[in-house]
Amino acid sequence: MSSTQNSGRMAWGVVLALLIAAPFIGLYPVFMMKALCFAIFACAFNLLLGYTGLLSFGHAAYLGAAAYVTGWLVRSAGWSPELGLLAGVVIAAGLGLVVGLIAIRRQGIYFAMITLAMAQMIYFVCLQAPFTGGEDGLQGVPRGTLFGVLPLANDTVMYFFVLAVFVAVFLAIMRIVHSPYGQVLKAIRENEPRAISLGYHVDRYKLLAFVLSTAIAGLAGSLKTIVLGFATLSDAHWSLSGEVVLMTLLGGMGTFAGPVVGAFTIIGLQNFLADRVGAWVTVIIGVIFVFCVLAFRRGIVGELLAWAERRRAK
């Protein structure tokens, strides 16, 4: 095993240890859970953009739809949290399949615009459907008991469940990217005509990537609803689709850690600045994003990896 691999594993071990210790060193569990949910969302988006090269402008729709479905089933239908989460993932994957079958026929900006248009339709349904609560949102979603054993009302128990889901999703994405299927996705991202000439059914690969990404995004939305106890229209709004693009680019598109770093950075800034500068938090985050795009085009993690590569080359 190379020294680079050893260093990488040590770094991941330190990060995991910090996440495990977070509730015991004074970090607010609800903030950490929210950040982990958005980290899952950003990882899902990165699977599509960073490794497949498809830019979706409507990914919040799948998070929002899953959030509403899970919230209603757990609160009104009395479903257990694990079944509510599963239902949210299935709904998000189903919507992703329908939208993907339509959008995957186009490329570039046309693909992005179709995903945005379809997402706006889903947002309209979330606004008008009787069970969503309209502009008031879906309130009072109980956390319940996981598998009839673990009381999720306890913040510490809930945090470790969210952390376990995050680690499982992260490892699954790593496995997907390193699999033969993931290598084909990278080939499509780099040169789609060449992938077609090699005999790959490119549309099938892209459609599966789109469905996988929307399913994981749905998991993030469902988990967020269980954690916070509500689902609102902001979960399905186009502005959240823009935020996940920001998280991915800021952290480092096409890297495993990048979306996680980007999500924690954005959620941390929003949480820290909201009470201090009010609505100006959006302007400040925008300025930071512009600076990073100009000065760190690969994102935070991408630049760090490039710097480490240059050091090894010397």
Side-chain angles (χ1 to χ4, degrees):
M1 186 180 296
S2 68
S3 60
T4 302
Q5 290 176 317
N6 280 327
S7 300
R9 291 195 173 187
M10 287 179 60
W12 286 120
V14 170
V15 170
L16 182 59
L18 286 174
L19 289 173
I20 292 173
F24 310 110
I25 58 176
L27 293 176
Y28 187 40
V30 175
F31 162 73
M32 291 297 295
M33 287 187 282
K34 181 180 177 182
L36 285 171
C37 289
F38 277 103
I40 293 172
F41 185 34
C43 287
F45 183 78
N46 186 53
L47 177 62
L48 190 64
L49 177 62
Y51 293 106
T52 315
L54 296 176
L55 175 59
S56 168
F57 275 151
H59 241 51
Y62 313 107
L63 181 144
Y68 275 113
V69 167
T70 298
W72 184 84
L73 289 174
V74 172
R75 189 195 71 171
S76 302
W79 285 32
S80 62
E82 64 273 13
L83 290 178
L85 289 171
L86 180 61
V89 171
V90 171
I91 288 296
L95 289 172
L97 178 61
V98 173
V99 174
L101 286 170
I102 298 171
I104 217 74
R105 303 169 184 271
R106 296 291 180 263
Q107 298 177 352
I109 191 64
Y110 302 105
F111 173 86
M113 289 299 100
I114 291 173
T115 58
L116 176 59
M118 299 297 288
Q120 287 299 97
M121 293 171 62
I122 296 173
Y123 174 82
F124 180 78
V125 172
C126 292
L127 176 62
Q128 298 295 330
F131 72 91
T132 63
E135 294 183 357
D136 295 327
L138 194 65
Q139 309 290 334
V141 179
R143 289 183 179 177
T145 305
L146 186 67
F147 302 118
V149 177
L150 297 175
L152 297 183
N154 183 297
D155 279 346
T156 303
V157 175
M158 185 76 224
Y159 172 77
F160 282 108
F161 172 61
V162 173
L163 178 59
V165 173
F166 166 75
V167 171
V169 168
F170 190 85
L171 293 176
I173 290 176
M174 288 187 70
R175 182 68 188 92
I176 290 170
V177 171
H178 287 140
S179 69
Y181 169 74
Q183 299 307 307
V184 175
L185 292 183
K186 292 179 184 178
I188 294 171
R189 178 194 64 190
E190 296 298 329
N191 194 324
E192 185 172 334
R194 180 175 294 177
I196 295 172
S197 70
L198 291 174
Y200 292 109
H201 295 282
V202 168
D203 285 352
R204 294 181 186 176
Y205 283 89
K206 292 195 294 186
L207 178 61
L208 179 56
F210 192 83
V211 173
L212 286 171
S213 180
T214 58
I216 298 172
L219 174 61
S222 297
L223 202 57
K224 177 174 171 287
T225 297
I226 298 294
V227 168
L228 300 180
F230 59 83
T232 65
L233 285 174
S234 61
D235 293 334
H237 197 259
W238 63 266
S239 60
L240 184 57
S241 297
E243 279 188 25
V244 76
V245 176
L246 171 59
M247 292 172 187
T248 305
L249 295 180
L250 182 63
M253 181 179 68
T255 64
F256 291 114
V260 180
V261 172
F264 270 84
T265 301
I266 297 300
I267 299 302
L269 284 172
Q270 289 176 344
N271 186 71
F272 178 77
L273 296 174
D275 295 334
R276 293 168 173 79
V277 298
W280 282 90
V281 64
T282 305
V283 177
I284 294 172
I285 291 176
V287 170
I288 293 172
F289 175 62
V290 171
F291 174 76
C292 287
V293 167
L294 294 176
F296 308 103
R297 296 188 63 182
R298 298 183 183 92
I300 297 171
V301 174
E303 290 294 341
L304 288 174
L305 292 175
W307 174 76
E309 187 66 32
R310 288 195 298 269
R311 285 199 62 184
R312 284 197 300 270
K314 290 181 180 179

